[in-house]
Amino acid sequence: MASTLLKNIQTVPLLLYPSAFFTRKNGALYCTMKSSSVTHTQTATQEKQQNPQIKVSTQTQTKTIDKLIKDYEAIIGIETHVQLSTLTKAFCGCPYNYGAQPNTSICPVCMGLPGALPVLNSKVIEFAVKLGLALNCKLSLNSKFDRKQYFYPDLPKGYQISQFDIPIATNGYVDLDFPVEFGGGHRRFGITRVHMEEDAGIAVLIICSLDRYG
């Protein structure tokens, strides 16, 4: 009986703790553990040595987590899309009628047909500059547009005209005063960038409308 238990202690990790299966009143098991071989003595010694190491490791992890919390700050960014109140679209002369019947305000530029060249609406630049000034941004005297390549049914050209590395305005801020019920105080929120881009189409059920595209 005793030898069987010792074999199980060697081969089955769950039986390394006999007290979980037998109480200390079990004389056979107690005597066997006392007169066990060198291997079992080493195993018991290793267990005693491992327990302090586990405690130290846990304390070290706790200190590391506390240090990370103190050294880092959570910053949450928000990307906001603004619909401009222009009469025509950003890169063509089609009227901008939001909510119109599908594909009633389109042209070769909107449809991305070969040879159709986009022309920038000057009102878009004017509104972007006004927004940059309102947000205390630094305006770029030299700016450009870039191609944002991706394939989607509501993007006939296969790319979106946008701005990447040289946006129209950068590094701004907006000051807000919080009401007392929300803690009160004054906060300043940073504005990373303001850039211009054309809108994509919209998929309505099985119909892809290009009325707002271009």
Side-chain angles (χ1 to χ4, degrees):
M1 179 65 178
S3 60
T4 303
L5 286 174
L6 290 176
K7 288 181 182 178
N8 289 338
I9 291 174
Q10 274 189 317
T11 57
V12 183
L14 292 177
L15 293 180
L16 285 174
Y17 306 96
S19 59
F21 300 91
F22 299 93
T23 61
R24 293 182 179 271
K25 295 180 180 180
N26 192 311
L29 180 59
Y30 182 78
C31 294
T32 304
M33 292 299 292
K34 285 287 186 178
S35 59
S36 60
S37 62
V38 178
T39 304
H40 300 119
T41 305
Q42 291 177 351
T43 303
T45 305
Q46 290 175 358
E47 289 179 11
K48 293 180 180 179
Q49 293 177 351
Q50 287 176 358
N51 289 337
Q53 293 177 359
I54 295 174
K55 291 182 180 179
V56 172
S57 177
T58 305
Q59 293 176 355
T60 304
Q61 290 178 358
T62 305
K63 291 180 180 179
T64 304
I65 294 174
D66 293 340
K67 183 179 179 181
L68 289 175
I69 294 175
K70 294 179 180 179
D71 294 345
Y72 288 87
E73 178 184 5
I75 299 177
I76 302 173
I78 300 176
E79 179 182 351
T80 305
H81 289 243
V82 179
Q83 178 182 331
L84 303 180
S85 58
T86 57
L87 299 177
T88 58
K89 298 181 182 181
F91 291 98
C92 72
C94 292
Y96 188 78
N97 299 323
Y98 187 80
Q101 291 296 319
N103 298 320
T104 56
S105 300
I106 59 175
C107 69
V109 176
C110 301
M111 300 172 66
L113 297 181
L117 298 177
V119 178
L120 179 60
N121 186 346
S122 60
K123 277 292 184 181
V124 173
I125 301 178
E126 179 183 339
F127 287 157
V129 170
K130 288 182 178 180
L131 180 60
L133 293 174
L135 296 176
N136 305 292
C137 292
K138 179 182 178 181
L139 299 179
S140 300
L141 299 180
N142 296 314
S143 187
K144 68 182 181 68
F145 285 94
D146 302 277
R147 289 187 175 189
K148 183 180 179 181
Q149 305 281 158
Y150 69 93
F151 174 80
Y152 208 70
D154 58 11
L155 200 68
K157 293 194 302 289
Y159 64 88
Q160 182 184 27
I161 303 176
S162 181
Q163 291 190 295
F164 179 61
D165 55 338
I166 309 180
I168 190 67
T170 57
N171 299 327
Y173 63 88
V174 58
D175 293 322
L176 295 178
D177 293 321
F178 285 91
V180 179
E181 55 268 25
F182 291 101
H186 177 82
R187 291 293 301 274
R188 172 169 290 186
F189 296 90
I191 304 296
T192 303
R193 58 186 287 153
V194 174
H195 73 256
M196 303 172 288
E197 67 180 16
E198 65 176 341
D199 206 345
I202 181 173
V204 182
L205 297 179
I206 60 174
I207 300 175
C208 187
S209 174
L210 303 179
D211 286 336
R212 68 177 192 178
Y213 178 61

